[in-house]
Amino acid sequence: MAGAFKGFGPKAIPFLKALDFHQSREWFQENRDLYDSELHGPFCDLVETLSERFEAAKLGLRGDRKRSLFRINRDVRFSKDKRPYNRHLSAILSPDGTKMEQGVFYVHIGLERCFAGVAWWQPAPELLQAMRKAIVTRPAAFRAMVSSLKKAGLELDAEGRLKRAPRGFEDVGDEDLAQAIRSRHFVVRHDIDPATIHSSALVDDLVDFTLGAKPLLDWGRAIQGTAVAA
């Protein structure tokens, strides 16, 4: 049954450390109850609590305990790294509640870092092209979105930008627009203090972050409508 998020258990991160050390199905099965009580169960509650809060805030993002979480098991079929388990647990809340949509909220609790993001991540070619065209043809709207993000203490992530302008955009002169056009995705991130994951206050922190990132969601959704209609 769903429950209000009260925080991850005190052994959530230690469990991930131990799992990463053992990396065996036998150890995981022996400690499955600890995984469920300290990490997986609370994560399910977090997703459903956020879904309720996002609905109340009219953010257009939702999820549930069955569809939103990524498996802790790694897909090793095409990887040289054959370790069977991830070092983190993560989930996506999206407009339709699946992992296949664009314009999403992502939350990640792991050994290296804990963070959240709002993203248009690797959008389909037609949507990415529409976003790039919108940056050039409606620069004021793009700059207003960037300015709103900055007021919330956020900025677009530069990770994964192309080194050169994509075809058809070579003549864009304004540096801020030229950089944005080289983006393959549009993302803002929020670092989570690992010490805060054991409290229900994490929900307020993540809702505040997502409200601050709403201009990015709105900007992309407006463009997405034109890309689908084209």
Side-chain angles (χ1 to χ4, degrees):
M1 291 180 62
F5 177 73
K6 299 180 177 64
F8 289 97
K11 297 180 181 178
I13 299 301
F15 174 88
L16 289 174
K17 289 180 179 178
L19 177 62
D20 187 50
F21 174 79
H22 291 281
Q23 284 292 344
S24 76
R25 185 178 185 277
E26 292 76 17
W27 186 91
F28 182 79
Q29 291 301 327
E30 288 174 2
N31 293 274
R32 184 66 187 249
D33 290 346
L34 189 64
Y35 168 70
D36 289 337
S37 63
E38 299 289 296
L39 194 62
H40 184 262
F43 214 135
C44 291
D45 292 341
L46 175 63
V47 164
E48 296 198 335
T49 301
L50 285 173
S51 189
E52 293 174 1
R53 292 285 299 275
F54 286 170
E55 180 180 7
K58 302 187 185 305
L59 285 166
L61 298 166
R62 60 190 175 94
D64 61 59
R65 61 203 307 118
K66 290 185 178 180
R67 295 186 296 172
S68 297
L69 271 71
F70 290 94
R71 298 178 67 211
I72 197 165
N73 304 75
R74 296 182 64 249
D75 184 351
V76 300
R77 291 174 298 171
F78 308 107
S79 174
K80 293 181 180 179
D81 183 353
K82 297 301 182 182
R83 289 178 298 177
Y85 295 101
N86 285 311
R87 296 160 58 85
H88 65 270
L89 199 61
S90 58
I92 278 181
L93 283 78
S94 69
D96 67 356
T98 73
K99 301 187 187 80
M100 306 305 294
E101 262 284 8
Q102 281 290 340
V104 302
F105 167 89
Y106 173 82
V107 59
H108 175 115
I109 303 297
L111 294 183
E112 287 85 3
R113 62 188 295 211
C114 300
F115 71 95
V118 166
W120 297 86
W121 186 261
Q122 295 181 345
E126 61 272 15
L127 177 55
L128 181 57
Q129 183 73 357
M131 287 175 156
R132 288 170 171 166
K133 286 184 177 179
I135 291 169
V136 174
T137 59
R138 299 193 294 277
F142 173 76
R143 285 169 170 152
M145 180 268 289
V146 171
S147 177
S148 295
L149 293 176
K150 285 184 177 179
K151 289 179 181 177
L154 304 171
E155 61 180 51
L156 292 173
D157 198 312
E159 179 184 347
R161 280 181 180 165
L162 301 172
K163 294 182 178 180
R164 297 180 180 179
R167 183 178 300 175
F169 297 94
E170 296 88 350
D171 296 333
V172 176
D174 292 351
E175 183 61 22
D176 62 330
L177 304 182
Q179 288 187 18
I181 285 165
R182 296 201 304 271
S183 297
R184 291 183 294 172
H185 26 252
F186 298 89
V187 185
V188 290
R189 303 178 195 266
H190 169 67
D191 286 326
I192 299 169
D193 182 348
T196 68
I197 70 170
H198 308 293
S199 165
S200 61
L202 177 62
V203 173
D204 290 334
D205 181 44
L206 295 178
V207 171
D208 288 346
F209 158 66
T210 310
L211 286 169
K214 187 174 183 292
L216 175 59
L217 290 172
D218 292 343
W219 177 78
R221 287 168 180 167
I223 298 167
Q224 187 178 38
T226 65
V228 171

